[in-house]
Amino acid sequence: MMARVMPRLEKAGLVVSTSGISGGYRLAKAPQDITVLDVIDAIDGRKSVFDCKDVRKNCALFGGNAPAWITNGVCGVHAVMLRAEKSMRNEMSRTTLQDLAIGFSTLAPADFGDNVGRWLDDRATNRELARISAVKDSSRNRRRGSDD
């Protein structure tokens, strides 16, 4: 999943990548400058939440030949969904990554940030040790193969 998401965030200018063994991603902007809507649009594009099938035109009551009075204008359900989507997008544009982090940090225990930092450090260390071990094993296997 992340292999699909991160390049989209990078293309949108929300993260930058660094390649190599110590590579990864970091935010391209300050968290207060990235909205939830920025992230959603970067990942999903600006597609509509509601996919209107305009069922009025195919209503069984009219045998597939709906009169103009039923199909004129925007369908009431579609209008409600458009207003709801506009409201949702407005709210997401008002909420930043920093807002989410602050909200989360008020719920988390005081040592949570330190615990996350230690977990990330341990993970990086373990990955590096695994990489070194794999390089050594590969080197040993090549030497054994040349001895044959």
Side-chain angles (χ1 to χ4, degrees):
M1 182 179 115
M2 295 306 288
R4 286 193 328 259
V5 170
M6 296 311 289
R8 291 176 185 179
L9 294 175
E10 185 175 22
K11 184 176 180 182
L14 302 180
V15 299
V16 292
S17 66
T18 307
S19 42
I21 192 70
S22 299
Y25 289 93
R26 65 177 170 78
L27 293 178
K29 304 176 186 179
Q32 66 269 18
D33 296 331
I34 301 174
T35 68
V36 172
L37 184 61
D38 294 333
V39 174
I40 297 298
D41 284 347
I43 295 170
D44 289 335
R46 196 180 156 94
K47 60 183 171 184
S48 179
V49 171
F50 179 67
D51 183 21
C52 181
K53 301 296 183 193
D54 206 1
V55 295
R56 300 174 302 166
K57 289 181 181 176
N58 300 315
C59 180
L61 295 173
F62 305 114
N65 191 17
W69 64 265
I70 193 81
T71 59
N72 284 341
V74 176
C75 163
V77 172
H78 194 170
V80 168
M81 295 306 290
L82 289 174
R83 289 193 307 270
E85 183 167 347
K86 182 178 180 183
S87 177
M88 181 180 67
R89 290 183 68 79
N90 284 338
E91 187 60 32
M92 289 190 299
S93 72
R94 291 180 25 205
T95 306
T96 67
L97 295 185
Q98 182 173 20
D99 296 331
L100 293 177
I102 289 170
F104 184 70
S105 68
T106 62
L107 300 172
D111 63 346
F112 180 73
D114 292 336
N115 290 339
V116 169
R118 278 192 298 279
W119 181 85
L120 289 169
D121 289 344
D122 289 347
R123 180 153 193 230
T125 299
N126 290 337
R127 287 184 70 184
E128 180 63 9
L129 291 173
R131 185 190 71 76
I132 290 168
S133 177
V135 168
K136 286 179 180 178
D137 288 347
S138 175
S139 178
R140 274 189 229 120
N141 290 338
R142 276 196 304 264
R143 281 196 307 265
R144 278 188 211 136
S146 65
D147 292 342
D148 293 340

